[in-house]
Amino acid sequence: MRKIIKNGTIVTAADTFKADILIENGVVSQIGKNLSTSDAEVIDVEGHYVFPGGVDPHTHLEMPFGGTVTKDDFETGTIAAAFGGTTTVIDFCLTNKGEPLKDAINTWHGKSNGKAVIDYGFHLMIGEVNDDVLAELPSVIENEGITSFKVFMAYKNVLQADDETLFQTLVAAKDLGALVMVHAENGDVIDYLVKKALKEGNTDPIYHALTRPSEIEGEATERAAVFTGLAESQIYIVHVTCEEAARKIAEAREKGIDIWGETCQQYLVLDQTYLERENFEGAKYVWSPPLREKWHQDVLWKALKNGQLHTVGSDQCSFDFNGQKDLGRNDFSKIPNGGPNIEDRISIMFSEGVKKGKITLNQFVDITSTRAAKLFGLYPKKGTIAVGADADIVIFDPNMERIISAETHHMAVDYSAYEGMKVTGEPVSVLSRGEFVVRDKKFVGKIGSGQYLKRAKYGENYEAENKTYTM
Ligand code: URP
Ligand code: ZN
Ligand code: ZN
Protein backbone atom coordinates (compact mmCIF):
# COMPACT_ATOMS: atom_id res chain seq x y z
CA MET A 1 0.00 0.00 0.00
CA ARG A 2 1.11 3.53 -0.69
CA LYS A 3 1.86 5.81 2.25
CA ILE A 4 2.12 9.57 2.61
CA ILE A 5 4.11 10.99 5.48
CA LYS A 6 2.55 14.40 5.96
CA ASN A 7 3.48 17.66 7.62
CA GLY A 8 6.88 16.62 8.92
CA THR A 9 10.13 18.54 8.79
CA ILE A 10 12.46 16.57 6.55
CA VAL A 11 16.11 16.74 7.54
CA THR A 12 18.90 15.48 5.30
CA ALA A 13 22.64 16.03 5.53
CA ALA A 14 22.17 19.09 3.33
CA ASP A 15 18.69 20.55 3.95
CA THR A 16 15.87 21.07 6.41
CA PHE A 17 12.42 21.68 4.92
CA LYS A 18 8.71 21.02 5.44
CA ALA A 19 7.26 18.64 2.85
CA ASP A 20 5.27 15.45 2.41
CA ILE A 21 6.75 12.14 1.26
CA LEU A 22 4.92 9.65 -0.96
CA ILE A 23 6.14 6.06 -0.59
CA GLU A 24 5.40 3.46 -3.25
CA ASN A 25 6.84 -0.04 -3.52
CA GLY A 26 9.24 0.61 -0.68
CA VAL A 27 10.87 3.68 -2.22
CA VAL A 28 10.30 7.40 -2.01
CA SER A 29 8.41 8.31 -5.17
CA GLN A 30 7.56 11.97 -4.53
CA ILE A 31 8.54 14.75 -2.15
CA GLY A 32 6.43 17.89 -2.20
CA LYS A 33 3.90 20.16 -0.60
CA ASN A 34 0.34 18.98 -0.03
CA LEU A 35 0.75 15.58 -1.65
CA SER A 36 -2.44 13.56 -1.82
CA THR A 37 -3.61 10.38 -3.48
CA SER A 38 -6.91 8.62 -2.90
CA ASP A 39 -5.53 5.21 -1.92
CA ALA A 40 -2.57 6.08 0.31
CA GLU A 41 -2.37 5.67 4.05
CA VAL A 42 -1.74 9.13 5.49
CA ILE A 43 0.63 9.39 8.44
CA ASP A 44 0.45 12.85 9.97
CA VAL A 45 3.75 13.71 11.66
CA GLU A 46 3.22 17.39 12.43
CA GLY A 47 5.78 18.57 14.99
CA HIS A 48 8.22 15.78 14.17
CA TYR A 49 11.47 15.56 12.29
CA VAL A 50 11.70 13.09 9.43
CA PHE A 51 15.24 11.70 9.14
CA PRO A 52 16.75 9.14 6.77
CA GLY A 53 17.16 5.87 8.67
CA GLY A 54 20.41 5.66 10.55
CA VAL A 55 23.30 3.72 9.02
CA ASP A 56 25.44 2.02 11.65
CA PRO A 57 28.73 1.03 10.02
CA HIS A 58 30.13 -0.86 13.00
CA THR A 59 28.40 -3.81 14.67
CA HIS A 60 29.42 -7.22 16.00
CA LEU A 61 26.30 -9.39 16.14
CA GLU A 62 26.57 -13.00 17.29
CA MET A 63 30.33 -12.72 17.10
CA PRO A 64 32.63 -15.18 18.89
CA PHE A 65 35.06 -13.10 20.94
CA GLY A 66 36.89 -13.24 24.27
CA GLY A 67 35.97 -16.87 24.91
CA THR A 68 32.26 -16.29 24.43
CA VAL A 69 29.79 -14.96 21.84
CA THR A 70 28.19 -11.51 21.74
CA LYS A 71 24.76 -11.62 23.30
CA ASP A 72 22.82 -9.74 20.65
CA ASP A 73 22.36 -11.58 17.40
CA PHE A 74 20.92 -10.38 14.10
CA GLU A 75 17.39 -10.63 15.50
CA THR A 76 17.68 -8.87 18.86
CA GLY A 77 20.42 -6.57 17.62
CA THR A 78 18.49 -5.30 14.62
CA ILE A 79 15.25 -4.94 16.60
CA ALA A 80 17.16 -2.79 19.11
CA ALA A 81 18.77 -0.89 16.22
CA ALA A 82 15.33 -0.15 14.74
CA PHE A 83 13.98 1.13 18.07
CA GLY A 84 16.98 3.43 18.11
CA GLY A 85 16.35 4.79 14.60
CA THR A 86 18.89 2.72 12.69
CA THR A 87 17.67 1.00 9.52
CA THR A 88 20.95 -0.34 8.13
CA VAL A 89 23.82 -2.07 9.88
CA ILE A 90 27.14 -3.21 8.46
CA ASP A 91 28.48 -6.06 10.54
CA PHE A 92 32.01 -7.45 10.73
CA CYS A 93 32.40 -10.91 9.23
CA LEU A 94 35.33 -12.57 11.00
CA THR A 95 37.66 -14.91 9.13
CA ASN A 96 40.04 -17.63 10.25
CA LYS A 97 43.50 -18.13 8.83
CA GLY A 98 43.51 -20.88 6.21
CA GLU A 99 39.73 -20.85 5.84
CA PRO A 100 38.34 -19.81 2.43
CA LEU A 101 36.83 -16.32 2.66
CA LYS A 102 33.68 -17.70 1.05
CA ASP A 103 33.15 -20.05 4.01
CA ALA A 104 33.46 -17.21 6.51
CA ILE A 105 30.99 -15.12 4.52
CA ASN A 106 28.57 -18.06 4.37
CA THR A 107 28.83 -18.40 8.14
CA TRP A 108 27.77 -14.75 8.45
CA HIS A 109 24.91 -15.25 5.98
CA GLY A 110 23.82 -18.14 8.18
CA LYS A 111 23.75 -15.90 11.25
CA SER A 112 21.76 -13.13 9.59
CA ASN A 113 19.53 -14.64 6.93
CA GLY A 114 15.94 -14.94 8.18
CA LYS A 115 16.70 -13.03 11.39
CA ALA A 116 17.39 -9.37 10.65
CA VAL A 117 14.48 -6.91 10.72
CA ILE A 118 16.37 -4.17 8.88
CA ASP A 119 18.78 -4.27 5.94
CA TYR A 120 22.39 -5.23 6.53
CA GLY A 121 25.75 -5.72 4.87
CA PHE A 122 29.11 -7.15 5.87
CA HIS A 123 32.68 -5.92 6.13
CA LEU A 124 35.24 -8.69 5.74
CA MET A 125 38.10 -9.18 8.18
CA ILE A 126 41.49 -9.80 6.56
CA GLY A 127 43.86 -11.61 8.92
CA GLU A 128 46.38 -12.80 6.33
CA VAL A 129 47.18 -12.08 2.71
CA ASN A 130 48.40 -14.92 0.49
CA ASP A 131 47.72 -16.16 -3.03
CA ASP A 132 44.47 -17.86 -2.02
CA VAL A 133 43.15 -14.73 -0.31
CA LEU A 134 44.19 -12.50 -3.23
CA ALA A 135 42.50 -14.88 -5.67
CA GLU A 136 39.24 -14.73 -3.72
CA LEU A 137 39.00 -10.97 -3.20
CA PRO A 138 37.61 -10.04 -6.67
CA SER A 139 34.69 -12.40 -6.11
CA VAL A 140 34.12 -10.99 -2.60
CA ILE A 141 33.66 -7.58 -4.23
CA GLU A 142 31.80 -8.55 -7.40
CA ASN A 143 29.62 -11.40 -6.15
CA GLU A 144 29.13 -10.62 -2.48
CA GLY A 145 29.17 -6.85 -2.77
CA ILE A 146 31.52 -6.65 0.20
CA THR A 147 33.55 -3.54 -0.53
CA SER A 148 35.25 -2.92 2.81
CA PHE A 149 37.94 -4.96 4.55
CA LYS A 150 38.85 -4.87 8.23
CA VAL A 151 42.33 -5.23 9.64
CA PHE A 152 42.99 -5.43 13.37
CA MET A 153 46.28 -3.91 14.58
CA ALA A 154 45.49 -5.16 18.11
CA TYR A 155 44.32 -8.32 19.93
CA LYS A 156 47.68 -10.10 19.67
CA ASN A 157 47.46 -13.85 19.00
CA VAL A 158 43.73 -13.54 18.33
CA LEU A 159 42.68 -11.14 15.58
CA GLN A 160 45.82 -9.03 15.13
CA ALA A 161 47.41 -8.82 11.68
CA ASP A 162 51.01 -7.77 11.11
CA ASP A 163 52.10 -4.64 9.26
CA GLU A 164 52.83 -6.57 6.07
CA THR A 165 49.25 -7.84 6.01
CA LEU A 166 47.88 -4.34 6.54
CA PHE A 167 50.06 -2.94 3.78
CA GLN A 168 49.18 -5.73 1.34
CA THR A 169 45.50 -5.27 2.12
CA LEU A 170 45.78 -1.56 1.36
CA VAL A 171 47.50 -2.30 -1.96
CA ALA A 172 44.86 -4.86 -2.94
CA ALA A 173 42.02 -2.56 -1.86
CA LYS A 174 43.31 0.23 -4.05
CA ASP A 175 43.15 -1.96 -7.15
CA LEU A 176 39.83 -3.54 -6.24
CA GLY A 177 37.98 -0.42 -5.09
CA ALA A 178 37.54 -1.33 -1.43
CA LEU A 179 37.83 0.75 1.73
CA VAL A 180 40.19 -0.66 4.38
CA MET A 181 39.01 -0.29 7.98
CA VAL A 182 41.48 -0.44 10.82
CA HIS A 183 41.33 -1.01 14.55
CA ALA A 184 44.32 1.19 15.35
CA GLU A 185 46.13 0.26 18.56
CA ASN A 186 49.62 -1.18 18.94
CA GLY A 187 48.80 -4.75 19.96
CA ASP A 188 52.41 -5.72 20.70
CA VAL A 189 52.94 -2.91 23.20
CA ILE A 190 49.55 -3.62 24.80
CA ASP A 191 50.49 -7.29 25.17
CA TYR A 192 53.64 -6.32 27.05
CA LEU A 193 51.83 -3.84 29.31
CA VAL A 194 49.04 -6.31 30.12
CA LYS A 195 51.50 -9.05 31.09
CA LYS A 196 53.43 -6.58 33.25
CA ALA A 197 50.29 -5.36 35.03
CA LEU A 198 49.12 -8.89 35.79
CA LYS A 199 52.58 -9.89 37.04
CA GLU A 200 52.43 -6.96 39.45
CA GLY A 201 49.06 -8.17 40.75
CA ASN A 202 46.97 -5.49 39.05
CA THR A 203 43.85 -7.37 37.98
CA ASP A 204 41.00 -4.84 38.26
CA PRO A 205 39.03 -3.53 35.24
CA ILE A 206 40.73 -0.11 35.39
CA TYR A 207 43.98 -1.78 34.28
CA HIS A 208 42.32 -2.46 30.95
CA ALA A 209 42.48 1.29 30.33
CA LEU A 210 45.87 1.80 31.92
CA THR A 211 47.51 -0.85 29.71
CA ARG A 212 46.14 0.67 26.49
CA PRO A 213 47.38 4.28 26.59
CA SER A 214 46.10 6.80 24.06
CA GLU A 215 49.63 7.37 22.73
CA ILE A 216 49.68 3.92 21.16
CA GLU A 217 46.30 4.51 19.54
CA GLY A 218 47.85 7.65 18.04
CA GLU A 219 50.97 5.71 16.99
CA ALA A 220 48.97 2.96 15.25
CA THR A 221 46.75 5.54 13.55
CA GLU A 222 49.79 7.34 12.20
CA ARG A 223 51.34 4.05 11.02
CA ALA A 224 48.15 3.09 9.22
CA ALA A 225 47.96 6.55 7.63
CA VAL A 226 51.58 6.38 6.43
CA PHE A 227 50.97 2.95 4.87
CA THR A 228 47.84 4.30 3.17
CA GLY A 229 49.78 7.19 1.66
CA LEU A 230 52.52 4.84 0.40
CA ALA A 231 49.97 2.48 -1.10
CA GLU A 232 47.95 5.40 -2.50
CA SER A 233 44.96 3.62 -1.03
CA GLN A 234 42.06 4.53 1.25
CA ILE A 235 41.44 3.90 4.91
CA TYR A 236 38.79 4.35 7.60
CA ILE A 237 39.92 4.35 11.22
CA VAL A 238 37.23 2.79 13.41
CA HIS A 239 36.36 3.85 16.96
CA VAL A 240 38.70 6.84 17.43
CA THR A 241 38.83 7.63 21.14
CA CYS A 242 41.46 10.27 21.73
CA GLU A 243 43.20 13.51 20.82
CA GLU A 244 46.30 11.72 19.53
CA ALA A 245 44.41 9.62 16.96
CA ALA A 246 42.10 12.47 15.89
CA ARG A 247 45.17 14.69 15.37
CA LYS A 248 46.99 12.05 13.30
CA ILE A 249 43.94 11.71 11.05
CA ALA A 250 43.70 15.48 10.60
CA GLU A 251 47.43 15.71 9.80
CA ALA A 252 47.21 12.88 7.28
CA ARG A 253 44.21 14.51 5.59
CA GLU A 254 46.19 17.73 5.31
CA LYS A 255 48.85 15.75 3.44
CA GLY A 256 46.18 14.52 1.03
CA ILE A 257 45.92 10.98 2.37
CA ASP A 258 42.50 9.43 1.78
CA ILE A 259 41.69 8.75 5.43
CA TRP A 260 38.39 8.82 7.32
CA GLY A 261 37.65 8.68 11.02
CA GLU A 262 34.83 7.15 13.03
CA THR A 263 34.15 7.66 16.70
CA CYS A 264 31.39 6.11 18.83
CA GLN A 265 28.92 7.71 21.21
CA GLN A 266 30.46 5.99 24.22
CA TYR A 267 33.71 7.92 23.76
CA LEU A 268 31.74 11.16 23.56
CA VAL A 269 29.78 10.77 26.81
CA LEU A 270 31.57 8.24 29.06
CA ASP A 271 35.09 8.39 30.46
CA GLN A 272 37.81 6.31 32.05
CA THR A 273 36.51 6.74 35.62
CA TYR A 274 33.64 4.35 34.75
CA LEU A 275 36.19 1.51 34.80
CA GLU A 276 36.92 2.30 38.46
CA ARG A 277 33.37 1.47 39.59
CA GLU A 278 33.17 -0.81 42.59
CA ASN A 279 32.07 -4.44 42.81
CA PHE A 280 33.54 -5.23 39.42
CA GLU A 281 30.97 -2.88 37.79
CA GLY A 282 33.88 -1.32 35.89
CA ALA A 283 33.85 -4.45 33.69
CA LYS A 284 30.66 -3.15 32.06
CA TYR A 285 32.80 -0.44 30.45
CA VAL A 286 35.65 -2.62 29.23
CA TRP A 287 36.04 -2.27 25.49
CA SER A 288 38.86 -1.44 23.13
CA PRO A 289 40.22 1.08 22.67
CA PRO A 290 39.27 2.01 26.24
CA LEU A 291 37.35 4.98 27.58
CA ARG A 292 39.70 7.94 28.02
CA GLU A 293 40.11 10.86 30.40
CA LYS A 294 37.18 13.22 30.06
CA TRP A 295 39.04 16.00 28.24
CA HIS A 296 39.30 13.82 25.12
CA GLN A 297 35.50 14.09 24.69
CA ASP A 298 35.75 17.76 23.86
CA VAL A 299 38.41 17.05 21.21
CA LEU A 300 36.22 14.37 19.60
CA TRP A 301 33.11 16.59 19.51
CA LYS A 302 35.14 19.39 17.93
CA ALA A 303 36.63 16.98 15.38
CA LEU A 304 33.11 15.88 14.39
CA LYS A 305 32.01 19.50 14.19
CA ASN A 306 34.91 20.62 12.00
CA GLY A 307 34.94 17.56 9.74
CA GLN A 308 38.11 15.88 11.00
CA LEU A 309 36.04 12.89 12.13
CA HIS A 310 33.22 11.77 9.91
CA THR A 311 30.92 9.13 11.36
CA VAL A 312 29.65 7.74 14.63
CA GLY A 313 29.29 3.97 14.72
CA SER A 314 27.99 2.04 17.70
CA ASP A 315 30.65 -0.71 17.91
CA GLN A 316 27.78 -2.83 19.23
CA CYS A 317 29.47 -5.79 20.90
CA SER A 318 27.31 -6.78 23.84
CA PHE A 319 28.06 -9.19 26.63
CA ASP A 320 26.02 -9.84 29.75
CA PHE A 321 27.51 -8.59 32.98
CA ASN A 322 26.51 -11.85 34.69
CA GLY A 323 27.94 -14.86 32.95
CA GLN A 324 30.11 -13.13 30.35
CA LYS A 325 31.88 -10.00 31.65
CA ASP A 326 32.58 -11.90 34.88
CA LEU A 327 34.89 -14.28 33.01
CA GLY A 328 37.47 -11.67 33.96
CA ARG A 329 36.61 -11.18 37.63
CA ASN A 330 40.15 -12.04 38.71
CA ASP A 331 41.95 -10.92 35.57
CA PHE A 332 40.94 -7.83 33.58
CA SER A 333 42.48 -9.28 30.40
CA LYS A 334 39.82 -12.00 30.39
CA ILE A 335 36.87 -9.58 30.45
CA PRO A 336 35.22 -9.85 27.01
CA ASN A 337 35.81 -6.53 25.24
CA GLY A 338 32.72 -4.70 24.07
CA GLY A 339 29.51 -2.99 25.05
CA PRO A 340 25.80 -2.61 24.20
CA ASN A 341 25.44 0.55 22.12
CA ILE A 342 23.33 -0.05 19.02
CA GLU A 343 20.04 1.22 20.43
CA ASP A 344 21.16 4.51 21.92
CA ARG A 345 23.49 5.84 19.21
CA ILE A 346 21.05 8.21 17.56
CA SER A 347 19.29 9.43 20.71
CA ILE A 348 22.61 10.22 22.38
CA MET A 349 23.98 12.00 19.31
CA PHE A 350 20.83 14.11 19.04
CA SER A 351 20.49 14.83 22.75
CA GLU A 352 24.15 15.44 23.56
CA GLY A 353 25.16 16.74 20.14
CA VAL A 354 22.34 18.72 18.55
CA LYS A 355 20.44 19.79 21.67
CA LYS A 356 23.65 20.94 23.36
CA GLY A 357 24.83 22.81 20.26
CA LYS A 358 27.91 20.68 19.59
CA ILE A 359 26.85 19.70 16.05
CA THR A 360 24.12 21.01 13.77
CA LEU A 361 20.99 19.08 12.87
CA ASN A 362 22.26 18.44 9.34
CA GLN A 363 25.66 17.35 10.64
CA PHE A 364 23.84 14.93 12.94
CA VAL A 365 22.16 13.29 9.90
CA ASP A 366 25.44 13.21 8.03
CA ILE A 367 27.36 11.68 10.94
CA THR A 368 24.75 9.05 11.86
CA SER A 369 23.54 8.10 8.38
CA THR A 370 24.58 9.82 5.15
CA ARG A 371 28.35 9.72 5.40
CA ALA A 372 28.49 6.02 6.23
CA ALA A 373 26.12 5.31 3.32
CA LYS A 374 28.45 7.22 1.01
CA LEU A 375 31.68 5.67 2.27
CA PHE A 376 30.33 2.13 2.22
CA GLY A 377 28.68 2.12 -1.20
CA LEU A 378 25.04 2.45 -0.20
CA TYR A 379 24.25 6.02 -1.16
CA PRO A 380 21.72 7.20 -2.34
CA LYS A 381 19.69 4.00 -1.81
CA LYS A 382 20.39 4.48 1.90
CA GLY A 383 21.42 7.53 3.91
CA THR A 384 19.11 10.17 2.49
CA ILE A 385 15.51 11.08 1.75
CA ALA A 386 15.29 11.57 -1.99
CA VAL A 387 13.14 10.40 -4.87
CA GLY A 388 14.23 6.86 -5.75
CA ALA A 389 15.86 6.17 -2.39
CA ASP A 390 14.66 3.35 -0.16
CA ALA A 391 11.95 4.58 2.18
CA ASP A 392 14.06 3.99 5.29
CA ILE A 393 12.62 6.73 7.43
CA VAL A 394 12.70 7.78 11.07
CA ILE A 395 9.88 9.84 12.53
CA PHE A 396 11.53 11.62 15.40
CA ASP A 397 10.04 13.60 18.30
CA PRO A 398 12.69 16.19 19.23
CA ASN A 399 11.15 16.85 22.64
CA MET A 400 10.34 13.37 23.89
CA GLU A 401 12.42 12.41 26.91
CA ARG A 402 13.67 8.98 27.96
CA ILE A 403 15.75 7.67 30.79
CA ILE A 404 18.01 4.99 29.34
CA SER A 405 17.78 1.73 31.25
CA ALA A 406 18.32 -2.00 30.86
CA GLU A 407 14.76 -2.35 32.19
CA THR A 408 13.35 -0.83 29.03
CA HIS A 409 15.92 -1.34 26.30
CA HIS A 410 15.46 -3.96 23.58
CA MET A 411 18.97 -5.38 23.49
CA ALA A 412 19.30 -8.90 24.90
CA VAL A 413 21.97 -7.85 27.35
CA ASP A 414 21.50 -7.53 31.12
CA TYR A 415 22.84 -4.01 31.63
CA SER A 416 22.97 -0.61 29.97
CA ALA A 417 26.21 1.33 29.70
CA TYR A 418 24.09 4.49 29.95
CA GLU A 419 21.83 3.46 32.85
CA GLY A 420 19.99 6.51 34.21
CA MET A 421 21.08 8.91 31.48
CA LYS A 422 18.32 11.26 30.31
CA VAL A 423 18.05 11.83 26.56
CA THR A 424 15.82 14.33 24.83
CA GLY A 425 14.68 13.42 21.32
CA GLU A 426 13.44 9.97 20.37
CA PRO A 427 12.55 7.93 17.29
CA VAL A 428 8.81 7.31 17.55
CA SER A 429 8.25 5.31 14.36
CA VAL A 430 10.73 3.73 11.96
CA LEU A 431 10.16 2.43 8.44
CA SER A 432 12.36 0.07 6.47
CA ARG A 433 11.73 0.11 2.72
CA GLY A 434 8.33 1.68 3.35
CA GLU A 435 7.13 -0.78 6.00
CA PHE A 436 6.84 0.08 9.67
CA VAL A 437 9.30 -1.79 11.84
CA VAL A 438 8.55 0.33 14.89
CA ARG A 439 5.26 2.21 15.13
CA ASP A 440 4.49 4.53 18.02
CA LYS A 441 7.31 2.93 20.02
CA LYS A 442 6.05 -0.63 19.46
CA PHE A 443 7.73 -3.33 17.38
CA VAL A 444 5.57 -4.19 14.37
CA GLY A 445 8.27 -5.55 12.07
CA LYS A 446 8.77 -9.01 10.67
CA ILE A 447 11.66 -11.23 11.72
CA GLY A 448 13.74 -11.95 8.62
CA SER A 449 12.43 -9.04 6.55
CA GLY A 450 15.87 -7.40 6.49
CA GLN A 451 17.66 -7.80 3.17
CA TYR A 452 21.34 -8.41 2.56
CA LEU A 453 22.96 -5.42 0.83
CA LYS A 454 25.51 -5.84 -1.92
CA ARG A 455 27.40 -2.57 -1.85
CA ALA A 456 29.07 -0.45 -4.50
CA LYS A 457 32.83 -0.04 -4.69
CA TYR A 458 34.55 2.72 -2.75
CA GLY A 459 33.84 6.09 -4.35
CA GLU A 460 30.98 4.78 -6.49
CA ASN A 461 27.29 5.44 -5.96
CA TYR A 462 24.89 2.62 -5.41
CA GLU A 463 22.79 1.95 -8.44
CA ALA A 464 19.55 0.06 -7.95
CA GLU A 465 19.37 -3.18 -9.91
CA ASN A 466 16.37 -1.95 -11.84
CA LYS A 467 18.28 1.27 -12.60
CA THR A 468 15.42 3.44 -11.37
CA TYR A 469 17.84 6.18 -10.50
CA THR A 470 21.42 7.29 -10.76
CA MET A 471 23.11 10.30 -9.25
O1 URP B 1 35.91 -3.77 22.55
C1 URP B 1 35.48 -3.80 21.41
N1 URP B 1 35.50 -2.71 20.70
N2 URP B 1 34.97 -4.94 20.93
C2 URP B 1 34.61 -5.19 19.60
C3 URP B 1 35.77 -5.51 18.73
C4 URP B 1 36.44 -4.26 18.26
O2 URP B 1 37.61 -4.06 18.56
O3 URP B 1 35.81 -3.46 17.59
ZN1 ZN C 1 38.06 -2.63 17.29
ZN1 ZN D 1 34.19 -3.11 16.77
Side-chain angles (χ1 to χ4, degrees), residues 58-60 92 150 152 155 183 238-239 288 315-317:
H58 191 153
T59 67
H60 304 276
F92 289 95
K150 171 77 175 287
F152 289 91
Y155 304 124
H183 174 132
V238 301
H239 50 41
S288 298
D315 197 5
Q316 166 75 14
C317 188

Side-chain angles (χ1 to χ4, degrees), residues 74-350:
F74 275 84
E75 183 177 321
T76 63
T78 58
I79 290 173
F83 272 102
T86 290
T87 53
T88 302
V89 296
I90 315 180
D91 199 74
F92 289 95
C93 169
L94 295 192
T95 55
N96 298 303
K97 284 187 181 159
E99 176 194 36
L101 300 175
K102 188 164 61 61
D103 291 1
I105 295 166
N106 284 340
T107 301
W108 244 254
H109 281 304
K111 290 173 191 282
S112 49
N113 191 16
K115 291 182 94 172
V117 305
I118 54 172
D119 293 351
Y120 59 95
F122 303 148
H123 312 288
L124 185 71
M125 174 194 159
I126 303 291
E128 63 180 346
V129 177
N130 54 34
D131 289 348
D132 291 341
V133 168
L134 289 173
E136 264 202 89
L137 286 180
S139 154
V140 166
I141 303 245
E142 301 298 337
N143 300 329
E144 289 291 340
I146 297 179
T147 53
S148 43
F149 306 145
K150 171 77 175 287
V151 177
F152 289 91
M153 299 171 80
Y155 304 124
K156 193 169 165 128
N157 300 325
V158 187
L159 301 176
Q160 187 173 329
D162 58 18
D163 285 353
E164 183 184 349
T165 302
L166 172 56
F167 191 69
Q168 282 190 289
T169 305
L170 284 160
V171 171
K174 182 207 171 180
D175 295 339
L176 292 164
L179 181 57
V180 178
M181 308 169 80
V182 167
H183 174 132
E185 285 186 295
N186 187 319
D188 290 357
V189 173
I190 290 167
D191 190 57
Y192 169 79
L193 292 174
V194 168
K195 283 180 183 149
K196 182 169 179 288
L198 291 172
K199 211 162 144 195
E200 290 167 357
N202 297 318
T203 59
D204 289 346
I206 184 60
Y207 286 94
H208 174 76
L210 300 179
T211 54
R212 306 181 88 102
S214 56
E215 287 86 344
I216 56 160
E217 185 183 332
E219 181 275 325
T221 303
E222 181 174 32
R223 190 161 22 112
V226 169
F227 291 178
T228 306
L230 280 176
E232 297 178 3
S233 189
Q234 47 271 342
I235 200 161
Y236 174 101
I237 311 291
V238 301
H239 50 41
V240 171
T241 72
C242 59
E243 185 275 335
E244 291 89 337
R247 177 160 43 85
K248 292 299 176 190
I249 291 170
E251 286 171 6
R253 287 177 73 80
E254 266 174 38
K255 290 182 190 149
I257 293 170
D258 196 357
I259 183 167
W260 303 91
E262 168 202 271
T263 187
C264 310
Q265 79 266 10
Q266 49 273 35
Y267 301 114
L268 294 163
V269 299
L270 308 176
D271 65 72
Q272 189 177 299
T273 60
Y274 284 72
L275 282 97
E276 292 167 352
R277 292 194 167 178
E278 288 183 346
N279 302 321
F280 194 61
E281 295 266 325
K284 293 179 176 176
Y285 307 93
V286 165
W287 45 72
S288 298
L291 292 173
R292 303 295 186 193
E293 287 175 12
K294 202 167 173 53
W295 64 269
H296 289 274
Q297 293 174 1
D298 197 36
V299 177
L300 297 178
W301 279 114
K302 284 188 176 133
L304 282 172
K305 172 87 186 165
N306 68 23
Q308 288 170 347
L309 292 176
H310 310 95
T311 60
V312 167
S314 70
D315 197 5
Q316 166 75 14
C317 188
S318 61
F319 298 103
D320 274 337
F321 180 60
N322 294 300
Q324 294 189 292
K325 287 283 185 184
D326 52 16
L327 291 170
R329 201 167 267 279
N330 301 312
D331 174 350
F332 71 88
S333 73
K334 295 200 167 62
I335 300 169
N337 285 202
N341 298 309
I342 203 166
E343 189 164 353
D344 302 309
R345 183 179 71 109
I346 284 176
S347 295
I348 289 175
M349 289 309 295
F350 184 84

